[in-house]
Amino acid sequence: MLLDFDKLGGLKPLLTVLVVVVCIFLILPIVFIAALSFGSSQWLIFPPPSWTFKWYQDLFADPRWLFSALTSLKIAGIVTVLSVVIGFLAALGLNRGSFVGRDFLRALFLTPMILPVVVLAVALYALFLKLGLAGTTIAFVIAHLLIALPFSIISIGNALDGFDRSIEEAAILCGASPWEARLRVTVPAVSHGIFAAAVFSFLASWDEVVLAIFMASPTLQTLPVKIWTTLRQDLTPVIAAASTLLIAFTILLMIVAALFRKGRKA
Amino acid sequence: MPVTLATDTVKITRERKFGYVVPALLLIVFFFIVPVTMLLLRSVLEPVPGMQNYAALLGSTTYLRVFLNTFLVAGVVTIVSIFVGYPVAWLLAIMPEKWSRIVLAIIILSMWTNLLARTYAWMVLLQRTGVINKTLMALGLIDKPLALVNNLVGVTIGMTYIMLPFVILPLMGVIRSIDPAILRAAALCGAGKLQCFLRVLLPLSLPGIVAGALMVFVMSLGYFVTPALLGGTSNMMLAELVAQFVQSLVNWGMGGAAALVLLVVTLTLYAIQLRYFNPARGK
């Protein structure tokens, strides 16, 4: 009765109202920022006195914004490739290996995901200072790889769980070398897991703030670091413009992911 | 004969495989275990060997205030998230798919939106001249603007916004996995709505609630960005304290000590969750 939508009775309007309110709460800041990015008020008055593209012009006129976006893109790209490759190998080993300590390793590989990221950031910062790598692209990539890798191991591991490996063995029996079979049979079969791993790894790096704050130098900043340092000074509408572009990018990614899922079902 | 050959080949490919995990293992050891251990060691070695950093951290009211802020915010965020998230997850689990799809899209959009963009939005919405204060004043509910930002109220609102999806999505899965027939049976046996809820639905979803609550609490304890931007300097939380020791004060001993406290609390709660409330257990 309580789990039958049509028989909820008096609870139905009550719960529906709550869901609508929560939806508004969740969507409000996003819509609001998008609207303000086109508003003419420097002090983010709402509703805006008039509409303008000024903040977008300011955004693109400042090469530091563009440069930080490119830096983010580059780091996220490298992290995605490394995370998928290392994650695929690790998932394969964890999924099929029979070595001692396999369960322990699985837990260990996922730990960076549950640990407070600020602890990892501070610890890595100290290490990179000692190694002379602080403020380099390598430091950024390693830091982001640590938090992207768990997503790859989980996504690809789940896909491997659902893959009947006797198909791969059949390919080997038909004369393929183990790696040929893996690359030409297993990889295509778990491509949805690899795709998910790539998307999550990319986002993990692209959106990451805390590690990035500690890895950044005045000359090497990702987009979130640039937003962070600007935010600490004032609430300029230029950030609303940058945020809106990021939100648009997120929606695009969601649509691509949805289409990909649809394509797989068909 | 070919059958024997086949099992032999299969046997060979099934053995060991340790080599595959080596790249990931090297990464974790050199850039996770080593630096974190080094940081924690510094807390008992710098400036001189001993426990003086911990004595300073736990003996000062300034730092105790930080601990209190952290647990208070994490606690309130957890309670609000569960109380609001549970009914939403419940309806989401049973509503027609055409609607639940829209609600889910909204939840995922908010979850995937850049953390700084979301926090910025709340900074603007909650400020003195922001929309929320203006609306409340226009409605005549308040005379002068409420202080909603640069304090723990702002942090709590911003963090609840971030944590809600983390409660709703897993709870929806838990409630979906409950067999509606159990509730029909309870109703047939004469249980009223309240009794059905309190004695059937709630107990059946309790493991999901506790798991979700622990997860939100642990995540909130270690949060850095949102408290730093919405809380202002006088309402510091633990993660900010760690960052401040290292960045502004360059006091690695104290930074390591604060990091250890955060780490121990987090891992203890995480271990409790794994041990007692793991939804995947027994699968």
Side-chain angles (χ1 to χ4, degrees), chain A residues 110 114, chain B residues 214 218 265-275:
Chain A
L110 303 185
I114 56 140
Chain B
L214 270 173
V218 168
V265 176
T266 306
L267 291 181
T268 308
L269 290 173
Y270 187 68
I272 292 174
Q273 161 157 16
L274 274 189
R275 176 75 181 77

Side-chain angles (χ1 to χ4, degrees), chain A:
Chain A
M1 191 171 69
L2 289 181
L3 287 177
D4 189 335
F5 185 68
D6 296 317
K7 290 185 190 151
L8 278 174
L11 277 171
K12 195 165 148 184
L14 208 70
L15 287 172
T16 309
V17 167
L18 184 78
V19 169
V20 171
V21 169
V22 168
C23 280
I24 293 172
F25 175 68
L26 288 176
I27 203 88
L28 177 80
I30 296 169
V31 173
F32 183 75
I33 283 306
L36 274 183
S37 74
F38 295 104
S40 62
S41 163
Q42 167 84 56
W43 294 278
L44 302 148
I45 290 166
F46 195 87
S50 63
W51 304 96
T52 173
F53 282 108
K54 182 181 181 314
W55 313 117
Y56 288 90
Q57 283 162 358
D58 286 3
L59 185 71
F60 286 105
D62 183 348
R64 285 174 302 174
W65 281 104
L66 196 64
F67 186 70
S68 64
L70 288 176
T71 307
S72 278
L73 212 56
K74 184 176 82 179
I75 289 168
I78 301 173
V79 167
T80 304
V81 173
L82 288 176
S83 166
V84 168
V85 173
I86 298 176
F88 179 73
L89 288 174
L92 212 56
L94 291 175
N95 188 275
R96 300 176 176 180
S98 53
F99 49 86
V100 182
R102 204 180 55 156
D103 293 330
F104 171 75
L105 275 188
R106 193 195 302 273
L108 181 68
F109 289 162
L110 303 185
T111 327
M113 206 163 69
I114 56 140
L115 205 73
V117 70
V118 76
V119 174
L120 183 60
V122 168
L124 275 177
Y125 177 56
L127 180 75
F128 289 141
L129 278 180
K130 282 217 167 81
L131 296 177
L133 285 172
T136 63
T137 308
I138 299 174
F140 259 113
V141 168
I142 290 172
H144 282 176
L145 188 55
L146 280 170
I147 51 157
L149 195 59
F151 290 107
S152 280
I153 293 179
I154 292 173
S155 306
I156 299 175
N158 284 344
L160 281 173
D161 281 341
F163 170 68
D164 181 0
R165 62 171 307 200
S166 56
I167 301 170
E168 184 184 307
E169 280 153 10
I172 297 174
L173 287 181
C174 291
S177 75
W179 273 108
E180 201 180 353
R182 245 162 244 151
L183 288 176
R184 292 179 56 187
V185 178
T186 314
V187 169
V190 299
S191 62
H192 59 289
I194 291 175
F195 176 78
V199 169
F200 285 129
S201 298
F202 183 88
L203 278 178
S205 168
W206 171 261
D207 270 346
E208 206 289 322
V209 197
V210 182
L211 289 164
I213 291 170
F214 281 87
M215 297 304 128
S217 73
T219 51
L220 189 74
Q221 297 190 331
T222 56
L223 192 54
V225 178
K226 176 71 181 141
I227 297 180
W228 168 265
T229 46
T230 313
L231 260 185
R232 293 233 113 177
Q233 287 150 19
D234 66 326
L235 292 180
T236 165
V238 174
I239 298 181
S243 299
T244 307
L245 291 179
L246 282 176
I247 293 164
F249 186 68
T250 307
I251 294 173
L252 199 73
L253 217 60
M254 278 175 71
I255 293 171
V256 170
L259 288 178
F260 190 84
R261 263 202 305 273
K262 220 177 193 174
R264 253 178 58 77
K265 263 185 210 158

Side-chain angles (χ1 to χ4, degrees), chain B residues 46-60:
Chain B
E46 290 184 22
V48 288
M51 299 302 284
Q52 73 280 2
N53 288 321
Y54 292 95
L57 195 64
L58 301 173
S60 135

Side-chain angles (χ1 to χ4, degrees), chain B residues 7 16-17 26 38 50 54 66 72 87 97-98 100 132 208 211 213 219 234 249 261 272-273:
Chain B
T7 31
R16 289 184 298 270
K17 309 270 195 221
L26 288 177
M38 271 165 52
Y54 292 95
V66 173
L72 185 71
E97 209 194 326
K98 58 178 179 191
S100 70
I132 291 180
M219 279 168 74
S234 53
L249 307 173
V261 173
I272 292 174
Q273 161 157 16

